[in-house]
Amino acid sequence: MLKKIRLVTLILVAIIWFIIILPYFLVQTDIGTRYASQLISYYNKDYSIRIGHISHSITKPYEITLDNVSIEDKTHLVTYLSAKKAVIGLKQTDLLQAKSFDYLVLENGDIKLSPSIENINIDFLQLKDISLYYQAPNNANNIVLNHIYGGIKPWSKRVITERIDSQFNFTIEMASYNDIDIQSIFVKGNQKDKTLQLINLGGDIKTGFFTANASVLADNSVLVKQLKVNKLNFQSEDRLSNINKMFSQLPKTDIQQLSIIDSSINLADFSVEKANLDIQNITYNHDWQLQKSNLFFNAQSMTYHEQLIEQPLVQWRNQENKIIIEQALGLWNKGSIKLSANWQNNELTIDSIIASGIRYQLPLNWWQQLAKVHFSPSLPSHITIKQFTLMPSLIIDTNPEFPFQFTNFEAFGNNIDINSTNEAFHVNGTILFKADSGTLNTIELQKPDLSLNFTPTENKLSFSTLISQGVLEGDANLISAEELQSLSISSHAVDSQILSLWYLINNPIKTDNFDIKLHGYLEPLSLDGILQTADKQYQIKNNQLDAY
């Protein structure tokens, strides 16, 4: 009997040795590990798994350590995971399944996210020096995260697809989002009731850094409670309009508080140096909405389309969905500009705009450009200027064909309305101009003054000036910047040769007293009319006196 018991015992020990103990030790050898990898890959129809070494400790019976592990597709062209070390905590209640674990620790490796990756449930996923890569379909977004440390619990695809509850805390040495680099990132948050909360988010951008508190809500909209950016120095060859397109992929985003401190932006057509911005309650929903915002902005300088504004300052507040611009001021072309206004819906009302000490040189072909001016759809379609004042300034045009200059140039306007469409803009109101002196294509002027009266149907101007010992005065009616409905000039003791210098008549007669009436086109120049002297009337065709 004892011999039979001993025989059975030996058989059981042998079975245990060959089925359990021997494979246990063999699998921890190089040959056994290689065979185990091949066996797992064989039974997995989607992935090939390679393991350099498997180890296990009796003191931690539910833990397996894998060295030099990688997971690839069957073609071996795409590697989804590679890690020098992976520590797996098995579920005590179900040791033999391979899709649910107590914990997984990955060290020194790379992860490539893919929607096709098989779902694995991990109560706690910990990363140590892991890099992550994600390429969205159609190359819409490219995300690279290098040297990640931290963990998330729990982890599965359902964290993303179904937004199950989770908690996470990570640090990231370097990240790249669509070629925008961010260093030293920290992020702490949770996901609860399908709302992703980034309780503490921050990182370094170039020479600056940012911190934020934000949430992604159940409807995929974003709520930013606070975003602070310090010492940002952003440079790009893109134009401002292209930068705005970067936001086109954003979901609806509400920002409760945005602060930008001591930061600079340099683009192809726009730059701002050492800027400070504090704004509350702005929304992005296909475009930026500022109707409910409060804002304070200042900077060392700002340049837009080569126009430099130094020490700009803007301050506004929201009042019953109306933006009250308490002050907007800056230094421009050696002078200063200051305005106050209010903005509601698509209407901007400027209560007062005052400029002084300006030294402005008109751009080349400014008259032709004026005819092509159109307002951006993002700007108000209706602008009212209650009071406009330009205090003594200098205006210069260096066009060699028709140069002019006005010294101590002043302008005044009240209740000016500007209505714009996508194709044109229309001005209603009266603006008065005057100067101490000036030159108009080498002709010296004294005390010139000009009145512009814009109406829905016509644009009238009246002018007068002293020239040497004489007086020149007149009025005109413009249909457009290219077409002149009428121009009348009366001269008293003024040499008629100014008509040639001003390109009105190419071959004027010599006289000191005359009246002229013209009509035609300014671009290209073609004027017809009559010239009246004390004793004779002359016909004008295409800027030439007829039969003279």
Side-chain angles (χ1 to χ4, degrees):
M1 185 67 180
L2 289 175
K3 289 182 178 180
K4 290 183 179 180
I5 294 174
R6 185 181 303 168
L7 178 62
V8 170
T9 302
L10 288 173
I11 292 172
L12 289 174
V13 169
I15 292 172
I16 293 172
W17 174 262
F18 283 102
I19 295 178
I20 299 176
I21 299 177
L22 184 60
Y24 171 79
F25 287 104
L26 283 176
V27 81
Q28 298 184 61
T29 66
D30 292 342
I31 295 175
T33 299
R34 192 180 309 116
Y35 178 76
S37 301
Q38 294 173 353
L39 190 63
I40 296 172
S41 299
Y42 177 79
Y43 284 103
N44 191 305
K45 66 180 187 303
D46 297 317
Y47 306 107
S48 292
I49 298 175
R50 297 181 181 182
I51 303 171
H53 184 72
I54 300 174
S55 59
H56 179 266
S57 173
I58 299 299
T59 59
K60 297 179 179 180
Y62 301 106
E63 181 178 289
I64 297 175
T65 300
L66 310 179
D67 293 327
N68 298 319
V69 60
S70 68
I71 301 176
E72 304 171 339
D73 67 349
K74 287 296 185 179
T75 66
H76 303 290
L77 296 177
V78 180
T79 301
Y80 297 108
L81 168 68
S82 65
K84 288 188 176 181
K85 186 176 182 180
V87 180
I88 302 173
L90 302 176
K91 285 281 189 182
Q92 298 182 26
T93 56
D94 194 352
L95 294 174
L96 299 180
Q97 56 78 42
K99 292 187 177 182
S100 183
F101 303 101
D102 268 349
Y103 57 86
L104 173 63
V105 181
L106 298 175
E107 298 184 22
N108 302 103
D110 300 318
I111 297 175
K112 182 174 182 179
L113 288 183
S114 170
S116 63
I117 290 180
E118 191 172 340
N119 186 39
I120 297 176
N121 299 303
I122 305 168
D123 291 349
F124 178 58
L125 172 63
Q126 185 175 12
L127 306 180
K128 296 181 179 181
D129 196 11
I130 295 294
S131 295
L132 184 146
Y133 305 88
Y134 174 73
Q135 180 72 63
N138 301 321
N139 296 323
N141 291 300
N142 183 28
I143 300 174
V144 179
L145 308 178
N146 291 321
H147 306 296
I148 305 171
Y149 293 84
I152 178 171
K153 58 180 183 181
W155 166 255
S156 74
K157 286 178 64 173
R158 295 175 59 217
V159 171
I160 298 175
T161 59
E162 301 178 27
R163 293 189 175 182
I164 63 173
D165 292 356
S166 62
Q167 295 179 336
F168 53 87
N169 190 351
F170 293 103
T171 63
I172 304 166
E173 185 174 307
M174 179 175 290
S176 176
Y177 174 74
N178 293 345
D179 297 326
I180 297 175
D181 295 331
I182 308 173
Q183 295 84 31
S184 303
I185 303 170
F186 56 88
V187 54
K188 179 181 180 180
N190 60 68
Q191 191 162 248
K192 188 175 183 180
D193 298 329
K194 299 187 182 302
T195 295
L196 174 64
Q197 300 181 30
L198 303 177
I199 299 171
N200 197 0
L201 171 66
D204 296 339
I205 305 178
K206 302 291 185 181
T207 58
F209 64 94
F210 76 96
T211 58
N213 184 320
S215 300
V216 180
L217 306 182
D219 60 358
N220 286 325
S221 65
V222 177
L223 172 63
V224 180
K225 295 181 180 178
Q226 188 177 62
L227 173 60
K228 289 185 178 181
V229 181
N230 291 265
K231 296 185 181 299
L232 173 67
N233 186 8
F234 180 77
Q235 298 186 4
S236 173
E237 297 298 324
D238 280 333
R239 303 178 70 84
L240 183 60
S241 57
N242 293 334
I243 295 297
N244 287 332
K245 292 178 182 177
M246 291 174 51
F247 300 107
S248 62
Q249 299 178 16
L250 281 180
K252 179 178 180 293
T253 302
D254 293 304
I255 303 178
Q256 294 181 349
Q257 176 79 43
L258 170 63
S259 299
I260 301 176
I261 303 168
D262 196 18
S263 297
S264 300
I265 299 174
N266 290 277
L267 307 176
D269 60 345
F270 173 81
S271 68
V272 60
E273 298 292 337
K274 294 188 178 299
N276 298 288
L277 172 69
D278 193 272
I279 186 168
Q280 298 95 33
N281 304 323
I282 60 175
T283 297
Y284 182 85
N285 192 10
H286 304 298
D287 60 7
W288 289 104
Q289 300 170 10
L290 307 174
Q291 291 86 345
K292 299 181 180 181
S293 65
N294 299 309
L295 174 143
F296 177 85
F297 166 81
N298 70 351
Q300 184 181 85
S301 65
M302 181 171 66
T303 304
Y304 185 56
H305 286 293
E306 299 182 354
Q307 295 297 317
L308 172 65
I309 301 176
E310 297 179 287
Q311 300 177 27
L313 185 149
V314 179
Q315 184 173 7
W316 75 50
R317 58 182 172 85
N318 174 263
Q319 179 178 305
E320 298 178 353
N321 292 330
K322 178 190 292 187
I323 292 177
I324 307 297
I325 303 175
E326 297 177 336
Q327 58 177 338
L329 53 90
L331 303 178
W332 179 66
N333 283 284
K334 309 295 184 181
S336 63
I337 300 176
K338 181 179 181 180
L339 68 83
S340 59
N342 64 80
W343 184 0
Q344 186 173 31
N345 297 327
N346 214 17
E347 296 188 3
L348 174 65
T349 301
I350 299 176
D351 298 315
S352 172
I353 178 169
I354 301 173
S356 64
I358 305 295
R359 297 173 60 89
Y360 184 59
Q361 180 174 317
L362 289 163
L364 189 64
N365 299 325
W366 64 271
W367 183 260
Q368 290 84 349
Q369 293 176 22
L370 184 64
K372 301 176 182 178
V373 167
H374 65 277
F375 278 48
S376 167
S378 62
L379 294 176
S381 60
H382 183 204
I383 300 175
T384 299
I385 304 175
K386 291 185 177 180
Q387 182 178 6
F388 166 68
T389 304
L390 174 64
M391 301 175 70
S393 298
L394 176 67
I395 305 297
I396 302 171
D397 185 351
T398 59
N399 183 349
E401 294 184 1
F402 201 83
F404 62 79
Q405 174 179 313
F406 293 99
T407 304
N408 287 334
F409 182 77
E410 299 181 60
F412 309 92
N414 293 294
N415 299 320
I416 303 167
D417 287 324
I418 304 174
N419 295 286
S420 66
T421 64
N422 290 337
E423 298 179 352
F425 71 98
H426 306 279
V427 181
N428 296 320
T430 301
I431 306 175
L432 304 176
F433 302 92
K434 68 176 184 177
D436 280 352
S437 62
T439 60
L440 198 60
N441 201 17
T442 72
I443 301 299
E444 293 188 3
L445 312 177
Q446 296 296 323
K447 303 297 181 182
D449 66 72
L450 172 68
S451 171
L452 289 176
N453 183 26
F454 301 97
T455 70
T457 57
E458 57 186 1
N459 302 315
K460 291 184 176 181
L461 62 89
S462 301
F463 58 90
S464 67
T465 184
L466 301 176
I467 300 177
S468 296
Q469 302 300 315
V471 177
L472 194 72
E473 56 188 1
D475 57 69
N477 194 336
L478 287 167
I479 297 175
S480 67
E482 295 92 357
E483 187 174 358
L484 179 68
Q485 181 175 336
S486 64
L487 170 63
S488 299
I489 299 176
S490 295
S491 164
H492 305 280
V494 176
D495 190 340
S496 61
Q497 295 305 306
I498 68 168
L499 297 175
S500 175
L501 291 171
W502 290 354
Y503 301 107
L504 298 176
I505 300 177
N506 297 331
N507 58 339
I509 63 170
K510 186 170 179 59
T511 180
D512 290 338
N513 297 286
F514 59 86
D515 293 303
I516 187 172
K517 293 183 178 180
L518 297 169
H519 63 274
Y521 294 92
L522 300 175
E523 188 66 35
L525 185 61
S526 177
L527 301 175
D528 302 329
I530 59 173
L531 171 68
Q532 179 72 54
T533 64
D535 54 2
K536 192 173 181 179
Q537 187 179 88
Y538 301 86
Q539 293 293 322
I540 304 168
K541 292 184 179 180
N542 196 22
N543 302 90
Q544 293 280 132
L545 288 181
D546 192 29
Y548 167 67

